[in-house]
Amino acid sequence: MDILVIGGGGREHAIVMKLADSPKVDKIYCAPGNGGISKYAECFDVSATDIEGVVALAERLKPDMVAVAPDDPLVLGMVDALQAKGFKTFGPRANAAIIEGSKVFSKELMKKYGIPTAAYEVFTDSESAIKYLKEQNSYPAVIKADGLALGKGVILAQNEEEAVQAVHEMIDELKFGKSSARIVIEEYLTGPEVSVLSFTDGKTVVPMISSMDHKRALDGDEGLNTGGMGTVAPNPYYTDEIAAECMEKIFKPTIEAMNAEGRTFEGCLYFGLMLTPKGSKVIEYNCRFGDPETQVVLPMLDTDLAEIFEAIYEHRLGDLNIRWKSGSCTCVVMASGGYPLSYPKGLEISGLDDKGQVEGAFVYHAGTKLSADGKFLTNGGRVLGVTCTALTLAEALRRSYDAVSRISWENVHYRHDIGQRALKADTDPLGLHYKDDMEDYIESNGVYLRQ
Ligand code: AMP
Ligand code: GLY
């Protein structure tokens, strides 16, 4: 098989490297790709959101399959456009990708089919939204833009002033364009968060190994929200018992609900869950592989990814026996100093070999490019995801951080505490003492919070 992968971040690098392991796969192409991906796939300078450009590229390359990884092209209908030209695809069509593309759609779906999620109301005018916030008078208030907003469309307002400001910015000032003309205000939930990616062909749903993201920029879960600063898999809060409950109450009902709506979902459906004291609830659905969750999930997969993609396209996922490796996988994201706000690009990265790797780790490139003389340069906020597998979480973390210490560039930033919360899961199953534990950890390791 020749496969074209659409996207150009760490997630796509992990997909490309897994496909490269497959005896079925001959050539791998990627658009747009990045510096690191270009060592494993032939890259083409076509943007991941350029539907016409990608269709034209596919017509030129004639791949046996096109896998579309990022949210925007899926929501915009790239899979529909490729299928219309006769290409085999991996990823949902637009009418199913809406499960991520519209929070109002996903909340209404969950309400209609009794899938557990936070209670909510939808607003299209700021006056009613503010009136509702004042009546509820409950903080933090969770305010979400309806549509895609580059992962920034969720505000946890700590008080009325912040909540009112968020409502004005979203509805009146259209901070996220059309995406925030409608908003959802929902109940604030607490508990450990778990990411569960799943493969589904609309008939069968196969959850992948669970994972835990670390969304805040700084150690101790301080600082701004980011796309994700690191991940571990499996997520120790997600016990077999919770997994069984989620299968019955969330995963299967979601697949069935989408079928009942005439919106069969085929591809990777991502369940963002919160394990609340009242049971597991859906925080969000994504219509695609998570980033950086994919970087820790795919290295643990013991089945041929290309075979899974084919089986999903042919609606015979139920015939496959998908296996996982034992042990743990950890990914530490190395970012540009200043991320997620402003940061320079084009800084030379030292410590990587000529394939962009270091010994003993998988280095997934998120934002790199190659200079004319073949050096790796930074080219984004999140730059690398340094990933290791081992029999224990502690050992995988030790290896990831060891590899991180051998890579550098000017003003590099990464979190020092990826996985620390997961290491405490046995003694603190609800994650209640995380903050205190973090302070002890930071004190004893001499790691200070950076501003
Ligand atoms: P989302 O983009 O929907 O995943 O939201 C981003 C982050 O906001 C989540 O990972 C949670 O940490 C937090 N969040 C979203 N919804 C809620 C909620 N209802 N209660 C508490 N935290 C939430
Ligand atoms: N890491 C969260 C996401 O991919 O949306």
Side-chain angles (χ1 to χ4, degrees), residues 103 142 144 154 186-189 193 215 283-284:
K103 299 238 188 253
V142 184
K144 300 186 174 184
V154 175
E186 70 178 31
E187 175 196 8
Y188 179 75
L189 301 175
E193 281 186 55
K215 287 200 166 149
I283 288 281
E284 64 165 347

Side-chain angles (χ1 to χ4, degrees), residues 192 237 420-421 424-441:
Y237 291 100
Q420 290 304 315
R421 180 175 203 160
K424 304 279 186 196
D426 286 346
T427 50
D428 182 18
L430 297 179
L432 299 176
H433 302 299
Y434 173 60
K435 261 278 172 354
D436 305 341
D437 291 342
M438 267 322 300
E439 274 157 22
D440 292 349
Y441 167 79

Side-chain angles (χ1 to χ4, degrees), residues 407-427:
I407 304 170
S408 67
W409 63 88
E410 199 185 317
N411 209 14
V412 56
H413 168 71
Y414 58 87
R415 279 181 59 164
H416 305 82
D417 62 344
I418 300 303
Q420 290 304 315
R421 180 175 203 160
L423 285 173
K424 304 279 186 196
D426 286 346
T427 50

